Amino acid sequence: MLNTIIALLLVAVWVAVATFADMRFKEAQSIFSTEFLFGVAGYGVTCFLAIATFRYATFGWIFLVWNSMSLALGLGLATSYYHEPLTTRRLITAGLLAGAMFLAE
């Protein structure tokens, strides 16, 4: 049980750092900009998070949880940060995500 909690926390941090890096890359004007360097640094950190996560969980579990958390964070950012509308399809996706997270354990 403790390994699962640690793995969930590591995956959550991993997803947050990877999403931050993606957002920095999107806002970068060139490869010499500060945003681009933050994106590179963010992805550099994710490799260490991946190594740590694989010590506590299996690949299949990590794959499912990482994708579910990534999509959930993407839905949240799309509606809050990028002001995309929260449509019925996105709500259905959120429900399916909740089911996938429940079944992953």
Side-chain angles (χ1 to χ4, degrees):
M1 181 67 171
L2 182 60
N3 284 349
T4 303
I5 294 170
I6 292 170
L8 278 172
L9 291 173
L10 285 169
V11 171
V13 173
W14 183 5
V15 167
V17 171
T19 302
F20 172 79
D22 285 341
M23 292 173 71
R24 295 301 95 201
F25 279 134
K26 182 177 180 176
E27 293 180 10
Q29 299 297 320
S30 72
I31 63 170
F32 302 108
S33 66
T34 311
E35 290 85 7
F36 185 83
L37 293 176
F38 278 130
V40 169
Y43 275 117
V45 170
T46 62
C47 71
F48 297 108
L49 292 168
I51 291 168
T53 305
F54 278 103
R55 294 179 186 262
Y56 293 101
T58 62
F59 174 79
W61 184 89
I62 293 170
F63 181 79
L64 180 63
V65 172
W66 196 95
N67 281 310
S68 298
M69 284 187 178
S70 181
L71 191 54
L73 182 59
L75 284 171
L77 286 174
T79 55
S80 64
Y81 188 76
Y82 294 109
H83 305 290
E84 294 287 329
L86 187 60
T87 63
T88 304
R89 287 183 183 163
R90 289 187 176 137
L91 288 173
I92 291 170
T93 302
L96 292 172
L97 280 172
M101 292 291 290
F102 177 75
L103 292 175
E105 182 51 36

